[in-house]
Amino acid sequence: MTQQYNTSNIKIKTAVLVFLKNLAAPLVLYFDNPLEIYEELKEAINTPSSKVFEFEPNGPIKKICVQASQISSVALQEEQYFA
């Protein structure tokens, strides 16, 4: 028997994935404005600098501090969840 889900309760949240040079898995960060953070990190990757980013995301990770030279890439990921 298949279980029926009410699709009106499904919401989508966007996470920012930050890939660091010394980590195998990316950092998954949730923000109120993920596109703005994504653009800021993408710009920092394209221009060499010694800038340090400090973020307070809305998720299991409460605070992160990372140097721009340690970021290898960034990505956006959409995730579905039940509200």
Side-chain angles (χ1 to χ4, degrees):
M1 195 184 279
T2 61
Q3 186 176 6
Q4 298 295 323
Y5 292 105
N6 185 357
T7 58
S8 65
N9 291 341
I10 297 176
K11 304 286 183 188
I12 295 176
K13 61 183 173 182
T14 304
V16 178
L17 304 178
V18 180
F19 295 87
L20 299 177
K21 293 179 180 176
N22 56 353
L23 292 179
L27 294 174
V28 181
L29 306 173
Y30 300 99
F31 295 99
D32 293 333
N33 52 356
L35 292 173
E36 181 180 317
I37 302 296
Y38 170 75
E39 290 297 328
E40 183 179 353
L41 290 172
K42 191 169 74 169
E43 183 179 319
I45 291 172
N46 293 332
T47 58
S49 69
S50 60
K51 186 175 181 179
V52 175
F53 291 98
E54 184 175 345
F55 298 115
E56 293 185 21
N58 305 330
I61 299 175
K62 298 301 180 195
K63 196 168 206 175
I64 185 75
C65 185
V66 64
Q67 191 172 9
S69 63
Q70 292 299 312
I71 301 172
S72 60
S73 66
V74 293
L76 290 175
Q77 175 177 302
E78 290 184 345
E79 302 172 358
Q80 295 180 350
Y81 68 98
F82 289 103

